[in-house]
Amino acid sequence: RGGSLEYEEQMQKYVEITRSGAVEVTIEAAETHSQELEIQRSMCNIIWFLTRQSDNIKTVARLGAVVAVLKAMDKFYDDTDLQKAGCSAIKNLAFHTPNKTIIGENSGARILMRTMTSHKHDADIQTLACAAIINVCAFSHENQAVFVKQGAIDRIVE
């Protein structure tokens, strides 16, 4: 899939969408309508989709996506669809090393652990949250220590 022309064209579209200002508009809408679940859910999904293209990750993060996604996940921790999109977005954003620090500094460990606890019977969320935690902790001793203190090992093994 990764090498097909169709796939490459789709990834290029994600770059073009990002360059068009869509991320700025999306994050602004999320900030303006912070109490609106549908807008927060849509924002998380948009960030997730756009960060599937690795060239977008730095740009999307620079525009405030990491904090916006974490705020949405924190506020609407009980919404399954938002948590799935949020975990997916954080998983992708954490591929860029500076974002790991932003995630750590903005309660990412607490938020991801609460997601796992609040949705402990949802296998999809457990899988996505674990993937996000792996990426956030990879090569970050600081985040590893915080996640251990938050009970990540017990939660993941459970």
Side-chain angles (χ1 to χ4, degrees):
R1 189 176 190 210
S4 75
L5 181 58
E6 183 179 313
Y7 177 81
E8 294 302 322
E9 288 172 353
Q10 184 64 46
M11 293 299 105
Q12 186 56 39
K13 286 180 187 175
Y14 292 161
V15 171
E16 291 168 15
I17 291 167
T18 300
R19 288 182 184 154
S20 76
V23 175
E24 292 95 324
V25 171
T26 300
I27 292 173
E28 183 179 319
E31 290 172 353
T32 302
H33 304 283
S34 62
Q35 305 301 314
E36 299 294 327
L37 172 60
E38 290 296 328
I39 290 175
Q40 299 302 311
R41 191 185 294 145
S42 295
M43 179 269 300
C44 288
N45 274 302
I46 289 166
I47 299 305
W48 167 39
F49 280 112
L50 293 178
T51 56
R52 289 176 59 199
Q53 202 328 317
S54 61
D55 292 342
N56 276 344
I57 294 173
K58 287 184 202 178
T59 302
V60 170
R62 182 178 43 78
L63 297 170
V66 176
V67 173
V69 169
L70 289 171
K71 282 182 180 178
M73 291 178 72
D74 198 24
K75 176 132 188 90
F76 297 103
Y77 66 90
D78 56 340
D79 186 78
T80 302
D81 292 332
L82 186 143
Q83 294 303 314
K84 286 178 183 177
C87 286
S88 297
I90 294 299
K91 172 185 65 88
N92 291 350
L93 288 161
F95 277 114
H96 182 55
T97 302
N99 294 341
K100 296 173 193 291
T101 302
I102 297 169
I103 294 164
E105 290 173 347
N106 286 277
S107 302
R110 179 187 57 76
I111 293 166
L112 286 166
M113 294 309 301
R114 183 169 65 182
T115 295
M116 292 186 78
T117 302
S118 298
H119 301 273
K120 61 184 169 189
H121 300 293
D122 188 312
D124 291 336
I125 288 182
Q126 296 300 308
T127 300
L128 292 168
C130 285
I133 290 168
I134 288 167
N135 288 355
V136 170
C137 290
F139 310 109
S140 173
H141 297 295
E142 296 84 11
N143 285 343
Q144 291 169 13
V146 172
F147 273 96
V148 168
K149 282 184 185 176
Q150 291 281 334
I153 294 172
D154 291 337
R155 180 73 235 158
I156 291 168
V157 172
E158 198 175 286

